């Protein structure tokens, strides 16, 4: 059992937790993920590491209430326990030698993008951040991003905070204005990452995306997380979760991502009637 | 005088029409009376050919003699001196290729039902034994075992009995490895695996779940943390796919994923949060035991039709005969000399947002014929030109093998692996290219059987014992 040391609701649908898991905290790196199970009947879900405190032995997760499992997890309070917490899994994001990077985050993906921005910032890399949300109520981690970035741009779909529009608009502007990025790192909904890649590809700027598909074991056994990268079958859990965005078949990944949508919706409604009408945001 | 009847006592089983719809164990086990009768068929041969057929060298005639005398606990003690998992082996070992293949009674008639007797003895013990397991005298040496499947549990059990302090590290949340995630409940009830694990714990073995060696901790960290030897039994790894179009469609599973959802995550129970596709027409590609397990699981999950699609003929089908017969009795249809060429998905060109887009609706196959034997002597299948046909299918399960897990080799410097990614070991000892590190089971061989993995765990335990006892007592902390 793993204790929830700290819990904070970042917005109505996104929650932060620090979980006591010293072995995971000791080994975790930005870009890696963990697998957790809330209770005895729970499913195994992957969540990307949003931070860690090696001394306190805690690992930070930030998750959106999108399905039965995350709603169940969100209902737990600090001091309570979750059944299983294993990791770190996947390969860390490769940040070696980068001098100037644009980090693009969308929705809850910003939680994963933040530790990457912070680590780059600490190592003296110039970080430009572009983060996007549906509206101002859903904005998370704004101050933290500002602190880790030389340049920060906030976008919302409805213009209720920052600029109105999608993240690719300021990204394209920056590229055209001559910001020579070594790399763009994009983390967010599949459709956002797909369009970030479509934006950077004409300029041939290396673009790394973080894939977070369906997984069960997370250790290279089940193959549920397979995706097509450069025409080859790859496994997000052991080969990723980061991949070269130019090579990823996003359309296929989006179709696979919907595999259990009906089941999820059903289980979700059973878990929490309050949320039954709320559309699960993916941005 | 031995009972000279030519046939072994049949195994009482659930009726096929009933069992195809439930997850209860298919084989029900011998009664005491049947066991006594079957034991009487053993000739108690002096040269014990059966023992040479057993990868863990159980003293078979000796335990059967105890069964014949009605001393079932004594029989259990004889088995458990050689095997850490008697109730498991009695159920899943391919005895027909091992001990029973060497049985003299098999020359004329059927061999003694050694596997069935082993199962009876183990079940009898689990039901009736109430005594305490005595903790062996500790010798002060610490050993780490990576993976709690058959090789890891065997290695851990053998070392614990010799007084070693053993810690088993398991990546998943439940110990048992393939016995838990792979082999279905109806062949091997999970409570039996749990019982075997509990027995090891009583011998002083610690089991740490949720620790992925190669990620959470590395092999080098284990050696630095005071473990004097490490045994790697991390099992098979990434599932193989055929490389045909459509394998990423929704409704295409690896057998590992499909079985893990059903077995480990209990997707077949109402209370589980883990989904799995139920119902529809299911095609399982492959002909091994895993393919049979997947096909029979699909039936029990409510499939209206289940096919085994295998590219060679019945003669080459690698699954155990018993499993094939069970599958047929339950209604699985075998499409032999058939190989998939393409999986076809639903595509609504008018509505790109149609939620059915990308789901499997059919599979294109072609007929095969058998050509020249390959290097292993198996006749290779050759496609028959123009024989393509289309099957209506909702779910495809690929059961065509796995390749070894990359996590440990990629984080353990100096650990030699072969071309296929299997860890290279000394055949007789299981020792790897790294000093203090042993390996066995599927991590070495690629997908094989439970009992071969157990044999490897046993050999490694012996070699580790020789290595560490040569070092002298490490002193108890």
């Amino acid at each position: 059992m793993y204790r929830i040391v700290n819990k904070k609701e970042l917005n109505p649908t996104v929650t932060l937790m620090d979980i006591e898991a010293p072995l995971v905290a000791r080994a975790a790196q930005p870009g890696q993920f963990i697998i957790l199970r809330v209770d005895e009947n729970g499913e195994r879900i992957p969540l990307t590491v949003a931070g860690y405190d090696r001394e306190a032995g805690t690992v930070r997760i930030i998750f959106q209430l999108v399905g039965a499992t995350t709603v169940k997890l969100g209902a737990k309070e600090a001091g309570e326990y979750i059944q299983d917490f294993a990791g770190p899994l996947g390969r860390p994001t490769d940040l070696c030698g980068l001098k100037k990077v644009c980090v693009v985050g969308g929705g809850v993906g910003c939680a994963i993008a933040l530790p990457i921005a912070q680590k780059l910032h600490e190592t003296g890399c110039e970080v430009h951040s572009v983060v996007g949300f549906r509206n101002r109520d859903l904005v998370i981690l704004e101050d933290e991003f500002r602190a880790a970035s030389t340049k920060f741009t906030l976008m919302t779909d409805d213009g209720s905070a920052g600029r109105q529009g999608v993240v690719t608009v300021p990204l394209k502007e920056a590229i055209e204005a001559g910001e020579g990025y070594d790399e763009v790192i994009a983390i967010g909904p599949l459709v956002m990452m797909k369009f970030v890649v479509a934006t950077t590809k004409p300029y041939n700027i290396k673009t790394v995306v973080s894939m977070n598909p369906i997984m069960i074991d997370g250790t290279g056994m089940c193959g549920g997380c397979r995706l097509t990268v450069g025409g080859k079958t790859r496994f997000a859990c052991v080969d990723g979760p980061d991949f070269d965005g130019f090579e990823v078949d996003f359309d296929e990944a989006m179709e696979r991502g919907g595999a259990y949508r009906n089941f999820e919706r059903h289980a979700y409604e059973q878990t929490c009637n309050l949320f039954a009408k709320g559309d699960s945001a993916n941005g | 005088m031995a009972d000279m009847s030519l046939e072994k006592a049949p195994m009482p089983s659930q009726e096929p029409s009933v069992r195809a719809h439930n997850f209860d164990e298919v084989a029900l086990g011998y009664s005491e009376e049947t066991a006594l009768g079957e034991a009487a068929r053993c000739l108690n041969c002096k040269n014990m050919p059966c023992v040479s057929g057993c990868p863990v060298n159980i003293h078979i005639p000796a335990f059967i003699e105890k069964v014949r005398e009605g001393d079932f606990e004594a029989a259990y003690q004889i088995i458990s001196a050689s095997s850490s998992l008697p109730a498991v082996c009695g159920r899943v070992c391919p005895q027909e290729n091992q001990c029973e293949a060497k049985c003299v009674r098999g020359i004329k008639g059927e061999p003694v039902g050694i596997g069935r007797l082993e199962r009876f003895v183990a079940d009898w013990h689990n039901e009736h034994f109430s005594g305490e397991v005595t903790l062996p005298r500790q010798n002060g040496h610490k050993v780490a075992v990576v993976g709690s499947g058959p090789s890891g549990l065997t290695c851990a059990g053998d070392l614990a009995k010799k007084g070693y302090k053993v810690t088993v590290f398991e990546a998943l949340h439940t110990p048992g490895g393939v016995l838990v995630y792979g082999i279905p409940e109806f062949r091997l009830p999970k409570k039996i695996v749990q019982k075997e694990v509990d027995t090891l714990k009583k011998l002083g073995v610690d089991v740490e779940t949720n620790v992925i060696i190669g990620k959470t901790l590395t092999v080098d960290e284990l050696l630095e943390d005071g473990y004097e030897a490490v045994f790697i039994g991390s099992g098979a790894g990434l599932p193989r796919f055929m490389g045909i179009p459509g394998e990423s469609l929704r409704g295409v599973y690896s057998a590992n994923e499909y079985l893990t959802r059903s077995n480990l995550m209990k997707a077949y129970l109402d209370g589980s949060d883990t989904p799995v596709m139920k119902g529809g027409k299911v095609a399982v590609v492959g002909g091994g035991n895993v393919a049979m397990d997947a096909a029979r699981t699909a039936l029990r999950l409510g499939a209206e039709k289940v096919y085994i699609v295998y590219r060679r003929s019945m003669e080459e089908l690698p699954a155990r005969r018993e499993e094939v017969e069970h599958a047929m009795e339950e209604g699985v249809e075998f499409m032999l000399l058939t190989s998939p060429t393409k999986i076809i998905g639903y595509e609504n060109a008018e509505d790109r947002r149609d939620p059915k887009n990308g789901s499997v609706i059919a599979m294109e196959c072609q007929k095969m014929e058998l050509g020249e034997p390959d290097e292993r002597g198996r006749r290779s299948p050759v496609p028959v030109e123009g024989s393509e046909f289309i099957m209506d299918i909702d779910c495809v399960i690929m059961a065509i093998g796995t390749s070894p897990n990359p996590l440990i080799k990629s984080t353990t410097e100096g650990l030699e692996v072969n071309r296929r990614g299997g860890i290279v070991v000394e055949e007789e000892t299981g020792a790897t290219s790294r000093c203090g590190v042993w390996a066995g089971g599927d991590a070495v061989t690629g997908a094989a059987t439970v009992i071969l993995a157990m044999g490897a765990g046993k050999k490694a335990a012996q070699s580790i014992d020789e290595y560490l006892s040569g070092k002298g007592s490490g002193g108890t902390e």
Side-chain angles (χ1 to χ4, degrees):
Chain A
M1 301 286 271
Y2 300 80
R3 194 162 66 98
I4 301 164
V5 179
N6 173 37
K7 176 188 174 183
K8 191 174 157 196
E9 279 161 18
L10 298 183
N11 73 31
T13 65
V14 176
T15 302
L16 171 154
M17 281 181 180
D18 292 319
I19 310 287
E20 195 170 65
L23 288 180
V24 185
R26 202 174 75 163
Q29 297 284 347
Q32 290 187 296
F33 65 94
I34 58 92
I35 292 255
L36 66 79
R37 220 162 56 114
V38 180
D39 56 31
E40 194 48 52
N41 290 322
E43 59 177 341
R44 294 170 65 93
I45 60 159
L47 288 175
T48 308
V49 169
Y52 42 82
D53 184 332
R54 301 205 203 282
E55 270 170 33
T58 59
V59 177
R60 175 162 297 178
I61 51 172
I62 296 178
F63 55 94
Q64 188 165 29
L65 309 175
V66 284
T69 299
T70 42
V71 169
K72 233 194 241 181
L73 179 61
K76 294 264 179 190
E77 297 300 333
E80 291 189 89
Y81 290 80
I82 58 175
Q83 187 78 27
D84 298 294
F85 194 86
L89 293 155
R91 301 151 86 108
T93 302
D94 183 8
L95 303 175
C96 256
L98 297 174
K99 297 277 185 292
K100 188 170 179 180
V101 171
C102 184
V103 177
V104 183
V108 74
C110 292
I112 307 158
L114 178 65
I116 292 168
Q118 286 171 330
K119 180 137 188 190
L120 284 168
H121 184 70
E122 277 166 27
T123 55
C125 172
E126 184 177 345
V127 178
H128 293 185
S129 302
V130 180
V131 296
F133 301 90
R134 282 197 307 168
N135 60 52
R136 70 178 299 164
D137 294 338
L138 300 179
V139 174
I140 57 171
L141 305 170
E142 183 179 346
D143 294 342
E144 289 84 349
F145 264 107
R146 281 186 192 282
S149 316
T150 323
K151 216 171 120 185
F152 172 81
T153 312
L154 171 65
M155 304 295 292
T156 51
D157 292 355
D158 63 359
S160 55
R163 275 176 70 182
Q164 195 257 322
V166 290
V167 290
T168 46
V169 174
L171 175 63
K172 191 176 164 83
E173 285 169 5
I175 295 168
E176 298 216 312
E179 300 279 13
Y181 296 126
D182 299 334
E183 196 169 301
V184 172
I185 300 176
I187 304 171
L190 287 169
V191 66
M192 181 206 91
M193 294 194 285
K194 176 182 166 170
F195 282 102
V196 168
V197 167
T199 306
T200 55
K201 205 167 182 176
Y203 303 94
N204 201 24
I205 300 167
K206 185 180 175 193
T207 302
V208 171
V209 297
S210 176
M211 304 299 282
N212 191 22
I214 291 165
M215 284 185 194
I216 304 179
D217 64 302
T219 63
M221 188 266 283
C222 82
C225 66
R226 67 187 182 278
L227 47 126
T228 305
V229 182
K232 290 203 183 98
T233 296
R234 305 288 298 274
F235 299 94
C237 69
V238 293
D239 300 323
D242 290 350
F243 291 99
D244 178 347
F246 294 173
E247 302 282 337
V248 172
D249 184 338
F250 285 104
D251 293 337
E252 179 190 279
M254 281 188 265
E255 279 191 350
R256 277 186 70 75
Y260 297 101
R261 202 170 280 141
N262 288 336
F263 182 95
E264 263 301 309
R265 178 70 35 111
H266 179 67
Y268 181 57
E269 284 166 7
Q270 278 189 332
T271 303
C272 182
N273 284 324
L274 282 175
F275 283 87
K277 285 181 190 154
D279 188 28
S280 59
N282 67 348
Chain B
M1 179 61 201
D3 171 351
M4 293 311 289
S5 57
L6 293 180
E7 281 165 14
K8 56 180 158 185
M11 176 61 108
S13 303
Q14 280 195 70
E15 279 300 315
S17 59
V18 175
R19 72 185 190 229
H21 305 290
N22 71 49
F23 276 86
D24 298 339
E25 195 171 9
V26 168
L28 303 171
Y30 278 176
S31 65
E32 286 191 17
E33 196 188 347
T34 317
L36 289 170
E38 185 61 25
R41 293 184 64 232
C42 176
L43 300 175
N44 208 347
C45 310
K46 282 274 166 298
N47 59 345
M48 304 184 288
C50 50
V51 177
S52 69
C54 174
V56 297
N57 302 117
I58 292 172
H59 297 293
I60 294 163
F63 101 73
I64 293 181
E65 191 172 9
K66 288 295 172 195
V67 174
R68 184 153 50 177
E69 291 167 10
D71 190 349
F72 305 133
E73 183 55 29
Y76 178 82
Q77 293 306 330
I78 292 168
I79 298 173
S80 77
S82 309
S83 167
S84 296
L85 310 167
V88 172
C89 292
R91 288 173 165 81
V92 303
C93 264
Q95 292 100 4
E96 64 276 16
N97 304 326
Q98 299 176 347
C99 52
E100 293 183 18
K102 307 263 174 142
C103 177
V104 171
R105 294 298 306 267
I107 299 169
K108 191 177 168 197
E110 289 188 333
V112 175
I114 300 170
R116 294 171 182 181
L117 286 171
E118 180 185 27
R119 172 185 160 156
F120 165 78
V121 167
D123 287 354
W124 191 93
H125 168 86
N126 284 342
E127 203 175 313
H128 296 94
F129 182 74
S130 55
E132 281 300 304
V133 178
T134 44
L135 196 67
R137 229 185 85 121
Q138 299 293 294
N139 65 16
H141 291 293
K142 274 172 68 180
V143 178
V145 168
V146 181
S148 62
S151 72
L153 292 180
T154 300
C155 186
D158 281 14
L159 288 169
K161 285 176 197 160
K162 293 191 165 104
Y164 289 87
K165 182 68 203 155
V166 182
T167 306
V168 177
F169 295 96
E170 168 55 48
L172 294 173
H173 56 262
T174 307
V178 72
L179 306 174
V180 167
Y181 76 73
I183 302 178
E185 180 78 14
F186 56 84
R187 267 206 314 129
L188 179 63
K190 301 301 155 252
K191 65 173 197 298
I192 285 171
V193 181
Q194 188 55 49
K195 188 110 191 171
E196 305 273 30
V197 172
D198 289 345
T199 305
L200 290 186
K201 286 183 179 168
K202 284 184 196 149
L203 286 169
V205 173
D206 287 329
V207 180
E208 300 276 349
T209 52
N210 293 329
V211 180
I212 305 105
I213 301 303
K215 285 290 176 187
T216 315
L217 293 168
T218 62
V219 169
D220 289 290
E221 283 171 319
L222 292 175
L223 291 167
E224 285 159 21
D225 282 353
Y227 293 100
E228 297 163 77
V230 177
F231 173 77
I232 302 170
S234 51
L238 295 164
R240 291 212 186 98
F241 289 88
M242 293 184 71
I244 57 174
E247 286 184 306
S248 292
L249 292 166
R250 289 203 308 272
V252 182
Y253 292 96
S254 73
N256 272 2
E257 179 182 359
Y258 190 76
L259 290 171
T260 300
R261 284 178 183 274
S262 182
N263 299 333
L264 175 73
M265 306 310 296
K266 303 187 176 66
Y268 67 90
L269 297 177
D270 279 344
S272 172
D273 289 345
T274 302
V276 70
M277 265 187 75
K278 297 173 185 171
K281 297 190 182 69
V282 179
V284 180
V285 180
N289 288 320
V290 174
M292 299 306 133
D293 283 346
R296 297 172 70 198
T297 297
L299 273 183
R300 285 159 174 78
L301 286 173
E304 59 184 271
K305 188 79 213 169
V306 180
Y307 303 96
I308 288 277
V309 178
Y310 178 58
R311 62 195 183 130
R312 291 184 168 95
S313 72
M314 192 53 102
E315 211 171 299
E316 291 83 17
L317 199 92
R320 287 183 71 189
R321 208 42 42 189
E322 184 182 305
E323 303 304 325
V324 175
E325 280 163 17
H326 276 150
M328 284 178 160
E329 286 167 9
E330 289 166 12
V332 173
E333 192 175 317
F334 284 67
M335 304 205 44
L336 302 168
L337 291 165
T338 304
S339 185
T341 45
K342 185 162 69 173
I343 303 166
I344 301 159
Y346 184 83
E347 238 183 292
N348 183 345
E350 317 246 298
D351 182 4
R352 299 272 304 151
R353 292 172 150 253
D354 187 333
K356 280 194 288 186
N357 282 342
S359 302
V360 173
I361 51 166
M363 186 162 81
E364 185 193 81
C365 296
Q366 65 184 170
K367 298 303 288 180
M368 311 296 275
E369 56 191 14
L370 292 178
E372 294 301 308
D374 62 15
E375 68 273 19
R376 285 160 66 196
R378 284 205 304 181
R379 295 179 66 191
S380 330
V382 183
V384 177
E385 286 289 322
S387 65
E388 288 82 1
F389 65 99
I390 289 182
M391 304 166 68
D392 281 348
I393 291 295
D394 305 293
C395 174
V396 179
I397 301 168
M398 290 292 175
I400 54 171
T402 57
S403 42
N405 193 306
L407 291 188
I408 289 179
K409 69 165 192 235
S410 64
T411 53
T412 311
E413 234 171 273
L415 189 70
E416 204 184 314
V417 297
N418 62 25
R419 192 170 40 86
R420 295 187 314 276
I423 300 170
V424 175
V425 299
E426 248 179 54
E427 172 92 28
E428 280 315 302
T429 61
T432 68
S433 56
R434 274 288 301 267
C435 182
V437 181
W438 282 255
D442 285 4
V444 169
T445 56
T449 61
V450 168
I451 189 69
L452 283 175
M454 289 178 60
K458 196 174 181 66
K459 269 192 223 164
Q462 201 173 344
S463 173
I464 290 170
D465 179 44
E466 283 161 16
Y467 169 76
L468 290 180
S469 55
K471 271 182 156 183
S473 170
T476 324
E477 277 168 48

